[in-house]
């Protein structure tokens, strides 16, 4: 059934029986299972509706936000909860939720920050939902029927205060904030509960930044957070605001130099959790050859080099010049470049594997941590051609991971183990680590 929300929702005037609801229309939706992207799946007149801020099984009044006649699906926000899930709770953050909600007293405007997807449930149920998403992507895109457990990552407080890196957008008035969902509008905020306590205490959100359009705040866990304000297009090779972050794992660890504006895992416990799991799953042996693809600043290269020892070899491939510079310094600081052969190659991964002589030949182990789009067919085939005994795949997108797993299956590798890590609590993002071995 279609309901009209009234003038306060600025809805279009449509007939109640209209089968083509447009943005601004409210629908009564019985929510189905969770889907990739931070929403649950409902249906209206046979058409799929992706509903945010709802939970599986709920009956909600959903405001259509995107889609119309001719579209295969609609997007909507749950603005009124008619039959709540037992897993529902009041979000701890006042900015987490749809742009408005409908209550008995009428419509009430909310912040509508796009950063969090699951603050209306606790972190444990959020992990369950994420495990179902990974399993569904593997079933749909790779033809695998597996149950996936998503583990918590040490270092947060019930899913809050884990982000060691914040990137605030700045609006035209100089106010810092966060982006709205699927948009460029800046939602000014006075706090973000995902940020570490030190970042929240930094003098960033309670002042204006008229000369900036982005403010980066980095908490390295030692001393005051680093604040870097930028305007316009940033130089991708810039190393502004260098920080040192310590990572410890059983049997080893190191201090890593990184840029305050560069890539690094944002959850304070994620780097050590990922390294510990990979070392346990891959069991590197002294003297082995390892290939670290999309190597960043050397997190996995350092761990692999320590494991394979002086008679082993690690080849790290990374396209970003600043990351390679940091990576060379980090392997040197960790005292691994001198006692094991760690060689850095700067270049796009697929092209480097195809053309660089140093990247040719067999490998015992491969670790890859590609960007959100995944590795792709060319890289997967190049990895298989090197005949490693095991591949450790660190993925930030379940769909890309599943597509690459399917390609690995086509070239003779099977998924031997898969584990999720809740490195982004309260959001739909999840880190997946798979181990592939020859079939």
């Amino acid at each position: 059934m279609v309901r009209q929300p009234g003038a306060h929702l600025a809805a279009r005037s449509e007939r109640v029986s209209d089968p083509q609801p447009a943005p601004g229309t409210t629908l009564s939706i019985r929510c189905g299972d969770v889907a990739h992207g931070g929403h649950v799946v409902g249906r209206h007149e046979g058409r799929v509706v992706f509903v945010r801020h709802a939970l599986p099984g709920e009956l909600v009044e959903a405001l259509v936000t995107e889609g119309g006649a001719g579209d295969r699906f609609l997007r909507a926000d749950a603005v009124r909860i008619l039959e709540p899930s037992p897993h529902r709770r009041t979000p701890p953050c006042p900015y987490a939720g749809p742009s408005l909600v409908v209550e008995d007293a009428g419509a009430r405007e909310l912040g509508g920050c796009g950063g969090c997807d699951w603050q209306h449930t606790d972190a444990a149920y959020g992990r369950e939902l994420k495990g179902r998403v990974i399993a569904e992507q593997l079933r749909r895109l790779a033809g695998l029927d597996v149950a996936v457990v998503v583990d918590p990552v040490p270092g947060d407080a019930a899913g809050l205060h884990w982000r060691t890196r914040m990137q605030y957008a700045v609006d035209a008035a100089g106010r810092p904030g966060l982006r709205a969902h699927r948009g460029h509008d800046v939602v000014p905020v006075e706090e973000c509960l995902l940020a570490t306590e030190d970042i929240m205490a930094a003098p960033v959100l309670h002042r204006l930044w008229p000369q900036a359009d982005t403010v980066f705040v980095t908490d390295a866990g030692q001393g005051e957070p680093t604040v870097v304000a930028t305007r316009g297009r940033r130089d991708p090779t810039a190393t502004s605001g260098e920080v040192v972050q310590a990572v410890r794992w059983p049997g080893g660890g190191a201090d890593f130099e990184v840029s305050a504006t560069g890539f690094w895992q944002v959850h304070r416990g994620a780097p050590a959790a990922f390294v510990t799991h990979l070392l346990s799953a891959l069991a590197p042996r002294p003297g082995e050859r390892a290939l670290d693809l999309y190597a960043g600043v050397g997190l996995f290269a350092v761990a692999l080099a320590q494991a394979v020892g002086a008679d082993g070899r690690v080849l790290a491939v990374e396209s970003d010049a600043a990351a390679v510079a940091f990576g060379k310094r980090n392997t040197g600081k960790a005292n691994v470049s001198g006692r094991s052969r760690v060689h850095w190659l700067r270049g796009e991964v697929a092209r480097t594997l195809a053309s660089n002589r140093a990247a040719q030949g067999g490998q015992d182990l491969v670790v890859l941590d590609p960007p959100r789009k995944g590795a792709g067919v060319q890289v997967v085939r190049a990895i298989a051609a090197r005949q490693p005994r095991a591949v450790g795949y660190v993925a930030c997108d379940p769909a890309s991971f599943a597509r690459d797993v399917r390609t690995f299956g086509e070239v003779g590798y099977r998924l031997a183990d898969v584990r999720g890590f809740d490195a982004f609590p309260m959001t739909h993002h999840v880190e997946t680590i798979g181990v592939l071995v020859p079939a």
Side-chain angles (χ1 to χ4, degrees):
M1 180 174 64
V2 179
R3 292 191 179 93
Q4 297 304 319
H8 55 268
L9 297 184
R12 291 179 51 175
S13 175
E14 296 186 13
R15 297 189 306 276
V16 170
S17 60
D18 191 341
Q20 303 290 346
T25 304
T26 54
L27 312 174
S28 180
I29 298 286
R30 174 66 70 181
C31 297
D33 206 357
V34 63
H36 181 33
H39 42 248
V40 296
V41 179
R43 291 187 178 274
H44 172 74
E45 302 286 346
R47 187 159 44 158
V48 169
V49 184
F50 293 121
V51 186
R52 293 192 81 229
H53 305 112
L55 292 173
E58 291 187 326
L59 179 65
V60 304
E61 195 166 285
L63 177 71
V64 177
T65 56
E66 294 181 45
D71 292 325
R72 293 185 299 109
F73 60 85
L74 303 174
R75 294 185 184 274
D77 259 337
V79 296
R80 188 171 191 171
I81 310 303
L82 305 177
E83 294 180 13
S85 163
H87 296 287
R88 176 168 287 275
R89 69 170 184 177
T90 299
C93 174
Y95 307 104
S99 295
L100 74 165
V101 294
V102 178
E103 300 170 328
D104 292 338
R108 179 165 60 91
E109 294 286 341
L110 291 179
C113 167
C116 289
D117 305 285
W118 301 116
Q119 283 216 19
H120 51 287
T121 191
D122 62 27
Y125 188 59
R127 290 192 293 273
E128 179 182 327
L129 296 179
K130 294 178 185 186
R132 283 151 61 174
V133 167
I134 298 171
E136 191 270 339
Q137 294 299 306
L138 286 169
R139 181 170 54 253
R140 185 171 66 88
L141 298 175
L144 300 178
D145 189 9
V146 295
V148 181
V149 173
V150 176
D151 290 335
V153 174
D156 59 56
L160 303 177
H161 302 307
W162 50 268
R163 284 197 70 106
T164 61
R165 289 171 169 248
M166 292 295 299
Q167 180 177 335
Y168 296 108
V170 179
D171 68 11
R175 298 174 300 178
L178 299 167
R179 299 285 185 186
H181 178 62
R182 290 177 60 82
H184 298 289
D185 292 343
V186 178
V187 179
V189 299
E190 295 185 358
E191 64 178 0
C192 175
L193 295 183
L194 300 190
T196 65
E197 291 86 346
D198 285 346
I199 286 182
M200 289 181 61
V204 174
L205 293 178
H206 298 282
R207 55 158 291 188
L208 297 179
W209 298 85
Q211 304 303 316
D213 54 24
T214 307
V215 181
F216 298 86
V217 191
T218 303
D219 176 11
Q222 44 190 320
E224 295 293 322
T226 301
V227 179
V228 178
T230 66
R231 186 171 185 83
R233 184 178 179 85
R234 288 189 298 120
D235 177 1
T237 64
T239 58
S240 57
E242 294 179 21
V243 297
V244 177
Q245 303 209 203
V247 179
R248 298 285 179 257
W249 55 84
D255 291 334
F256 289 84
E257 292 187 34
V258 298
S259 168
T261 60
F263 175 78
W264 182 256
Q265 291 291 340
V266 294
H267 192 298
R268 69 168 99 213
F274 297 169
V275 169
T276 300
H277 179 73
L278 277 174
L279 290 178
S280 174
L282 298 178
R285 304 161 187 164
E288 286 194 314
R289 300 158 299 172
L291 186 60
D292 182 13
L293 304 178
Y294 314 94
V297 299
L299 175 67
F300 299 125
V302 167
L304 290 169
Q306 290 177 342
V308 301
D311 295 326
R313 182 190 68 185
V314 176
L315 181 63
V317 182
E318 169 59 47
S319 62
D320 183 76
V324 171
F326 280 118
K328 290 179 178 179
R329 287 153 60 178
N330 289 330
T331 51
K333 285 175 57 178
N335 194 29
V336 295
S337 58
R339 63 186 180 88
S340 64
R341 293 185 295 163
V342 180
H343 184 55
W344 282 86
L345 294 177
R346 182 198 169 193
E348 193 271 329
V349 169
R351 187 177 302 114
T352 300
L353 292 179
S355 62
N356 193 294
R357 181 174 298 180
Q360 305 300 316
Q363 300 288 336
D364 298 297
L365 297 172
V366 175
V367 171
L368 67 157
D369 185 5
R372 192 164 302 281
K373 66 179 182 180
V377 174
Q378 186 177 353
V379 171
V380 170
R381 288 177 175 171
I383 291 172
R386 284 152 176 79
Q387 300 182 321
R389 67 170 178 83
V391 177
Y393 190 133
V394 183
C396 59
D397 184 86
S400 298
F401 172 72
R403 284 190 288 267
D404 285 340
V405 167
R406 179 186 61 201
T407 304
F408 270 109
E410 295 169 353
V411 294
Y413 279 74
R414 65 176 178 86
L415 185 64
D417 181 71
V418 59
R419 184 77 58 85
F421 289 87
D422 198 12
F424 310 91
M426 302 297 148
T427 79
H428 76 272
H429 299 290
V430 60
E431 207 80 6
T432 308
I433 299 182
V435 176
L436 300 113
V437 297

